Every structure is written in C-alpha cells, then in structure tokens.
C-alpha cells in the first residue's frame, strides 16, 4: 500500500495574464510529493510581480517567483527567486529559467547546410517595455541596411509566419525554435540589461543552432561560452562594430561554422539547476508554515511611522469626504436601482471616514504614550 501524501494548502496570485495555477510547473512539482489544496487561506502563497494581491494574505509563507528583471523584496516575502547573483542563505535562489540540457552542447550535427540558411530573424511582441525593447528595434533597422531581417512578430512586422504559433499559445516555445532553425542569426536582445538577467531569448537561439546576437546580461560569459555567440558586451555595445562582425561571419563559411560548432556552455555550467530549484521549493514546504519576522525591530509600531500614515490618511479623508458629498447628492437626484447603488457608495465612504477617525485617535494615543 502506497504511503498517503501529506496535504498542503497553497495559492498563487499576481502572475502574468493567462497563468494557470492548475498545471504550472510549481503545481506539477508539488503534486508529485503532496496532495494539493488550493485555498484562500493558504499555508504557502506563491506570487509574482504583476500585482499587489499578495499584500492581502496573512499568516502564511510568501514565496516570490519571478521571470522578470525584478529583485525580491525580503521585507515582504519569506523566500524569493530572481536572476541577480545574490547570497541570502536559504531565503534566495538564483534561477535563470535555464532549462537547457547537455544535448544542446553536442554540435556534431553542424555541417555546410547550416551556412546556407536565411540570414537573420527578429521575433518580438513588446514594443516599449524596458530599455532593450527600444534598442533592439534601432539595432534591427541598422542591420537591415546590410540585409533583410525577417520580422514575423508584432514589432517591425514585415512577413507572415503561419507556422509560428501565437505568443500566448502553449506551443509557442517549440514553434519558435523550429522557426529559428531556418536562420543563421537570431537577434536576442533582453528587455533590460542587468547582471545575471539571461532569459530564453539566448537559450532558444542556442537550442535552434542559430547564432545569437546578444544584448543584455553584462556577466553572461560566466555561464555561456563567448566563442559561441556574438555578445554586444564584447564590443562595448557599439552596434556598428557588432554589425561588422556579423558581416564577417555571414560572408565566411569557415568562421561561421566554427562559431556554430562551439559548445554554448562554460565548463562549469550547472546542468542540475532545475533539480536544485525543485529541492529549494520542497525544503520550504517541509519547513512548514513558519514565516520569517520581517520587522525584527518593530519599526512599524514606532510613533513616526504612525505619523506618516496619519498624513496619508488625512489626504484620504479629503478624498472620501468629496466622494461622500458626491454620492449624497446623487442619491437624492436619482431613482430606483441607480439610487440604491449611490446610497451604498455613500454608506461605504462614511465607513471609511469613521475608520480614518478611529486610526487618528489611536495614533495620537500611542504618540502620547511613547512621549
């Protein structure tokens, strides 16, 4: 008889649009070890950077999971994952979304046919979020002065690609790699530039045997072989010099194939990265619902903190007073269901004003006691 799995209460919030908690990688991992119960009062909350709903959860372990260039705030989360090279003991895990395996290092299949492909591609849907979003468009236009760059995405679109799945499709990643295999070069610019921040933009090109033209992580060569790709950092991000290097490889079969045959990884590349991330998650669960004290000096109870909040509440009071008067007038000028709605809103504003008054009295009493 198999051993009964322990039940754990979890929840997810503030993830990207379209996120499905039922079949995300974390849920899949946890289901292998536990019986999962999604709960509004979880023991473990997994949250990301696309909202503030996590602030509404109390008495649970908060785990920040993130695929953007954002640092965890350990004054708010108990554990955090990010791209930066940080050391914060068991509370931080550097996870670069690198799902590459050793098979990608095997370049024996590279032959002359890899030189006789389309020139270069540029696949992006993000027009302006992040410094890199604008820079890569400028670079692509500059490169087009030399040769056409195929752009099947929303940004700089100049072609149709029926075999390329929509960005939100579950098959997007696999379809994208099949598309990249048709090209000698791939423009792989990150949305932003920061130490440690390397994403699938580089990985996908490597897996597709398309030489990446990379802009982003200044320390990318810590993990990836600089002989295997064109790294804008090596040219001090001088795009004219980068394009000259591209031209050189594009017109020299031997040099191009030599770069393509290079192992993309540094000798000490950690291929157990994903397994270690899974261990980190399981260790958090096994530790139990034991949040860290994120306010060890009890600063949130000091008088000056209350004074700052009191100032904020004073501003809110003015706002709620205006709304109260507005809804009071509208409730007298309207009828039926609309009048009922305005009365409810007037009642809500009155309640807010009472809460502010109660807070102000409590804050004053505390300050008097401290003084």
């Amino acid at each position: 008889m198999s051993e009964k799995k322990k039940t754990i209460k979890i929840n997810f919030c503030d993830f990207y649009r379209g996120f499905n908690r039922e079949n995300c990688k974390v849920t899949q991992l946890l289901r292998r070890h536990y019986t999962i119960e999604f709960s509004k009062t979880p023991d473990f909350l997994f949250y990301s950077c696309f909202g503030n709903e996590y602030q509404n959860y109390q008495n649970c372990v908060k785990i920040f999971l993130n695929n953007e260039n954002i640092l965890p705030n350990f004054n708010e989360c108990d554990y955090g994952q990010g791209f930066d090279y940080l050391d914060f003991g068991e509370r931080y895990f550097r996870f670069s979304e690198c799902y590459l395996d050793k098979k990608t290092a095997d370049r024996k299949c590279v032959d002359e046919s890899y030189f006789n492909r389309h020139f270069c591609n540029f696949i992006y849907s993000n027009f302006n979020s992040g410094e890199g979003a604008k820079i890569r468009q400028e670079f692509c236009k500059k490169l087009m002065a030399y040769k056409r760059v195929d752009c099947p995405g929303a940004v700089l679109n100049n072609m149709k690609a029926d075999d390329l799945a929509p960005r939100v499709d579950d098959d997007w990643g696999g379809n994208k790699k099949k598309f990249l295999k048709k090209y000698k070069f791939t423009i792989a610019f990150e949305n932003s530039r920061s130490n440690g921040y390397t994403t699938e933009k580089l990985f996908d090109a490597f897996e597709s045997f398309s030489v990446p033209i990379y802009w982003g992580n200044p320390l990318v060569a810590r993990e990836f072989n600089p002989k295997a790709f064109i790294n804008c950092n090596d040219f001090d991000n001088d795009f004219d010099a980068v394009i000259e290097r591209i031209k050189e490889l594009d017109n020299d079969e031997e040099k191009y194939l030599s770069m393509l045959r290079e192992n993309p990884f540094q000798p000490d590349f950690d291929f157990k990265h994903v397994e270690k991330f899974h261990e980190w998650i399981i260790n958090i669960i096994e530790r139990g619902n034991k949040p860290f004290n994120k306010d060890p000096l009890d600063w949130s109870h000091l008088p000056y903190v209350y004074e700052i909040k009191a100032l904020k509440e004073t501003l809110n009071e003015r706002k709620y007073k205006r709304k109260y008067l507005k809804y009071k007038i509208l409730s007298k000028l309207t009828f039926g269901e609309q009048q009922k709605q305005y009365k409810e809103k007037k009642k809500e504003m009155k309640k807010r004003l009472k809460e502010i008054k109660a807070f102000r009295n409590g804050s004053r009493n505390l300050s008097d006691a401290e003084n």
Side-chain angles (χ1 to χ4, degrees):
M1 183 181 292
S2 60
E3 186 178 346
K4 185 178 179 181
K5 293 180 180 178
K6 180 170 66 174
T7 298
I8 58 172
K9 295 195 298 180
I10 67 171
N11 209 348
F12 294 83
C13 67
D14 302 324
F15 282 82
Y16 53 87
R17 186 175 58 184
F19 173 81
N20 187 341
R21 69 180 187 178
E22 297 287 344
N23 63 5
C24 71
K25 287 183 171 64
V26 171
T27 297
Q28 291 174 12
L29 165 67
L30 295 177
R31 279 197 172 121
R32 295 204 297 265
H33 302 272
Y34 308 99
T35 298
I36 300 298
E37 177 186 330
F38 292 109
S39 172
K40 292 183 179 180
T41 56
D43 291 317
F44 304 95
L45 176 72
F46 298 91
Y47 73 98
S48 192
C49 57
F50 298 97
N52 297 305
E53 187 183 338
Y54 71 92
Q55 295 177 347
N56 298 328
Y57 288 84
Q58 305 296 329
N59 304 318
C60 63
V61 172
K62 296 182 179 181
I63 305 151
F64 178 73
L65 301 180
N66 157 51
N67 59 0
E68 300 295 336
N69 190 14
I70 298 174
L71 277 168
N73 182 348
F74 290 102
N75 292 321
E76 297 180 333
C77 67
D78 296 283
Y79 300 90
Q81 163 262 321
F83 290 89
D84 294 78
Y85 296 103
L86 300 178
D87 184 2
F88 197 32
E90 63 182 353
R91 294 185 64 181
Y92 179 74
F93 188 90
R94 180 181 180 265
F95 185 57
S96 63
E97 281 203 333
C98 183
Y99 293 95
L100 294 170
D101 58 34
K102 292 182 180 180
K103 290 187 292 185
T104 307
D106 185 359
R107 318 301 272 188
K108 294 188 184 73
C109 64
V110 174
D111 57 27
E112 292 77 10
S113 66
Y114 283 82
F115 186 72
N116 300 312
R117 294 182 288 172
H118 298 301
F119 171 55
C120 184
N121 71 82
F122 176 95
I123 309 177
Y124 289 94
S125 58
N126 169 20
F127 285 86
N128 51 28
S129 179
E131 176 190 13
K134 299 166 188 173
I135 289 176
R136 61 192 174 219
Q137 293 178 59
E138 296 170 6
F139 176 82
C140 185
K141 291 174 183 176
K142 187 182 283 281
L143 185 58
M144 280 185 178
Y146 164 64
K147 267 188 183 180
R148 172 188 166 93
V149 177
D150 286 347
C151 309
V155 182
L156 302 181
N157 178 269
N158 62 9
M159 69 174 290
K160 288 185 178 180
D162 295 333
D163 56 339
L164 192 62
R167 183 68 178 86
V168 294
D169 197 290
D170 289 340
D171 296 329
W172 160 253
N175 274 267
K176 178 188 173 186
K177 291 171 191 174
K178 288 179 183 177
F179 185 85
L180 298 188
K181 285 181 179 179
K182 304 174 186 177
Y183 292 85
K184 293 167 72 173
F185 301 96
T186 292
I187 296 177
F189 279 39
E190 305 287 5
N191 292 334
S192 57
R193 185 171 181 266
S194 180
N195 290 344
Y197 182 60
T198 311
T199 72
E200 83 290 341
K201 295 173 179 63
L202 179 66
F203 312 153
D204 287 349
F206 278 143
E207 285 195 313
S208 306
F209 288 81
S210 180
V211 169
I213 305 166
Y214 183 76
W215 179 93
N217 178 9
L219 302 178
V220 65
R222 278 192 182 186
E223 295 166 287
F224 298 97
N225 178 6
K227 295 180 181 179
F229 64 108
I230 299 170
N231 184 3
C232 293
N233 293 304
D234 293 340
F235 300 87
D236 293 325
N237 295 300
D238 179 345
F239 291 152
D240 289 327
V242 172
I243 290 173
E244 287 304 312
R245 176 59 171 158
I246 295 168
K247 290 179 182 179
E248 179 185 11
L249 295 171
D250 185 44
N251 292 289
D252 191 316
E253 181 175 337
E254 184 177 342
K255 287 183 179 179
Y256 175 80
L257 294 178
S258 177
M259 175 171 281
L260 198 61
R261 289 188 177 110
E262 285 283 343
N263 180 347
F265 307 105
Q266 289 287 18
D268 60 349
F269 187 87
D270 187 0
F271 287 102
K272 293 185 177 180
H273 194 65
V274 175
E275 289 88 341
K276 289 179 179 178
F277 175 69
H278 290 176
E279 290 175 9
W280 181 70
I281 294 289
I282 296 300
N283 286 337
I284 292 172
I285 302 298
E286 288 300 306
R287 186 175 182 270
N289 186 355
K290 298 177 181 177
F292 289 96
N293 184 356
K294 303 175 200 67
D295 185 18
L297 297 180
D298 289 328
W299 282 1
S300 62
H301 296 95
L302 293 178
Y304 74 86
V305 176
Y306 275 87
E307 294 305 322
I308 292 172
K309 188 172 180 181
L311 176 61
K312 182 180 177 182
E313 294 294 7
T314 298
L315 297 176
N316 285 337
E317 183 179 30
R318 294 172 186 171
K319 178 178 70 175
Y320 294 140
K321 276 184 177 178
R322 287 196 300 270
K323 287 187 175 183
Y324 174 78
L325 291 173
K326 172 185 173 182
Y327 296 137
K328 183 178 180 181
I329 294 169
L330 288 172
S331 66
K332 292 180 178 180
L333 297 176
T334 54
F335 302 93
E337 187 62 32
Q338 196 173 38
Q339 184 184 56
K340 183 179 178 182
Q341 291 177 2
Y342 285 132
K343 283 185 176 180
E344 285 297 319
K345 288 182 178 180
K346 183 184 76 170
K347 186 177 179 181
E348 182 184 347
M349 293 304 107
K350 191 173 183 180
K351 180 182 176 183
R352 295 281 179 89
L353 290 168
K354 283 184 178 180
E355 289 174 352
I356 291 172
K357 185 177 180 180
F359 167 80
R360 186 179 290 112
N361 290 336
S363 173
R364 189 180 298 115
N365 292 338
L366 177 66
S367 297
D368 291 343
E370 291 289 340
N371 291 330

